[in-house]
Amino acid sequence: MRIVKEHETRRTEIIDTAQQLFLAKGYEKATINDILKQIGIAKGTFYHYFKSKEEVMDAVIMRVVEKDRLIAQEVQKTDISSLDKILLFLKQQSAADNEQKSDLLEQFQHTENALMKQRALEGTLQHVCPVLAEIIEEGKQQGEFSVEYPLESIQFLIAGIQSLSDERVIGEDPEAIQRKLFSFVEFIFRILGIDEAKFDKQTVTQQFLQIFTS
């Protein structure tokens, strides 16, 4: 007997199953038929929820992006400096304590999953960075930062952080990673115009090291 499920329950089941298959086989190798077979549904049922494998992939990615956006919003409410909010966000959204996200990031390193990696970055730039830009704007008003374009600046920095994360995942030489982290902190101070009279660069560097080498 065919089991009829509520709309959102079935949609979530498809997304969950697609994510498992993308992790196990890679996005390019996983097929819609694999999803149908594992859940036990007809092709028409799948197309009732998603137009293509790419669309369900977007749903998988956006679920991760939405979690990061919510983290950014919660961090924004905290009573700490704006720079510390940015650092706290980076720490809390790190994949270190999120096995599911860590597995996805590992898959992003494979050439066949380049589209997933691209969509994840696009989603972050579009949905998470505006919240971070608000934090930077707050810091600007408080005299912490001197930056003319908060949104574009944080988008540029987040794209750079993505590159650093990629190198950590694939196991680049620890000394090379450390040098790049040092240079990246220098870059952040310049891009955001951070007031060095208020923030010690060495302390910030150590915080970055803890986030990206833990």
Side-chain angles (χ1 to χ4, degrees), residues 156-208:
F156 195 68
L157 291 173
I158 289 297
I161 288 172
Q162 166 107 41
S163 176
L164 287 175
S165 298
D166 291 347
E167 292 169 350
R168 178 174 60 81
V169 169
I170 63 177
E172 190 182 42
D173 178 78
E175 291 186 7
I177 293 175
Q178 190 174 66
R179 287 195 301 272
K180 287 177 180 176
L181 281 169
F182 286 155
S183 66
F184 193 71
V185 171
E186 184 73 30
F187 192 56
I188 289 174
F189 267 73
R190 294 187 181 185
I191 289 292
L192 297 182
I194 296 174
D195 186 347
E196 294 189 40
K198 295 183 177 181
F199 299 98
D200 178 63
K201 190 179 294 184
Q202 184 174 358
T203 300
V204 175
T205 300
Q206 289 304 313
Q207 289 175 290
F208 264 87

Side-chain angles (χ1 to χ4, degrees), residues 11-54:
R11 184 177 186 277
T12 299
E13 183 179 31
I14 293 173
I15 295 172
D16 288 341
T17 302
Q19 179 169 318
Q20 293 170 8
L21 288 167
F22 294 160
L23 290 175
K25 304 179 69 172
Y27 172 72
E28 291 295 337
K29 293 181 180 178
T31 66
I32 291 177
N33 283 335
D34 290 331
I35 298 172
L36 303 181
K37 183 176 180 181
Q38 186 154 325
I39 301 176
I41 58 175
K43 186 172 290 188
T45 301
F46 176 90
Y47 285 113
H48 176 72
Y49 296 94
F50 300 100
K51 296 178 181 178
S52 63
K53 185 178 73 167
E54 184 174 330

